[in-house]
Amino acid sequence: MVINKENGGVSSARNKGLELSTGDFIMFVDSDDWIEKDTISNLMKIQANNNYDVILFGVYIENTIFKKTTVSKFKKQSFNDKEQIKQILPNLIKQEIINSPWNKIYKASIIKQNNISFNESISIGEDALFNYEIFLK
């Protein structure tokens, strides 16, 4: 499916995608991102065995301006209790792991049932706010 809409910013585009999505899971891949060809199938295998609301995964970031490469890997952990999540959330924020939506796959029902969307009135930090809302649900 291709969606043509007037440019309203990244939050507007993502919200339109959320509105029109019909699948069980949501994943954001921006125009400057790439994923391995087996990323989604690997995430779905993990999901099939665990039924997670959100899966965070490691990333490889190449900054051509500063000639810097960052590899983010996670120790495999599972949190399924709101109190546990509230305890680890500050560490995820500090590490900036939670801020962006492009290293996660979300269960669509969490987003839709809680009416979570990107705040279109701000252009800095909207990704983090979106994720905070999800993690607190």
Side-chain angles (χ1 to χ4, degrees):
M1 172 191 304
V2 175
I3 303 165
N4 290 308
K5 67 178 285 313
E6 186 176 329
N7 186 353
V10 68
S11 292
S12 174
R14 288 180 176 157
N15 285 339
K16 180 55 81 173
L18 289 173
E19 175 189 329
L20 298 175
S21 66
T22 59
D24 293 330
F25 300 93
I26 295 175
M27 182 176 176
F28 298 95
V29 181
D30 294 341
S31 62
D32 61 346
D33 298 338
W34 59 269
I35 59 173
E36 298 291 340
K37 65 181 179 179
D38 58 352
T39 298
I40 295 172
S41 63
N42 286 338
L43 291 169
M44 290 296 94
K45 286 176 190 172
I46 294 168
Q47 179 62 19
N49 294 323
N50 299 284
N51 194 30
Y52 293 129
D53 293 335
V54 179
I55 299 175
L56 284 80
F57 50 91
V59 297
Y60 172 91
I61 301 171
E62 186 175 309
N63 185 324
T64 56
I65 296 171
F66 296 106
K67 309 273 191 250
K68 179 182 176 186
T69 300
T70 304
V71 177
S72 163
K73 295 182 181 179
F74 298 113
K75 182 173 83 173
K76 187 175 180 179
Q77 298 178 47
S78 177
F79 303 98
N80 57 10
D81 177 86
K82 281 188 181 184
E83 290 308 311
Q84 286 179 318
I85 293 169
K86 286 179 184 178
Q87 288 176 3
I88 64 152
L89 198 54
N91 190 38
L92 294 175
I93 294 167
K94 182 179 176 182
Q95 295 178 35
E96 298 183 10
I97 292 170
I98 196 171
N99 294 347
S100 299
W102 39 254
N103 66 333
K104 299 164 190 66
I105 191 162
Y106 307 90
K107 193 181 285 185
S109 60
I110 295 297
I111 295 170
K112 294 189 178 212
Q113 289 172 2
N114 292 288
N115 200 28
I116 299 172
S117 63
F118 290 87
N119 186 330
E120 295 181 32
S121 67
I122 59 174
S123 60
I124 297 176
E126 71 284 354
D127 294 347
L129 289 175
F130 176 82
N131 283 314
Y132 298 164
E133 286 187 61
I134 289 173
F135 275 79
L136 292 174
K137 295 296 179 191

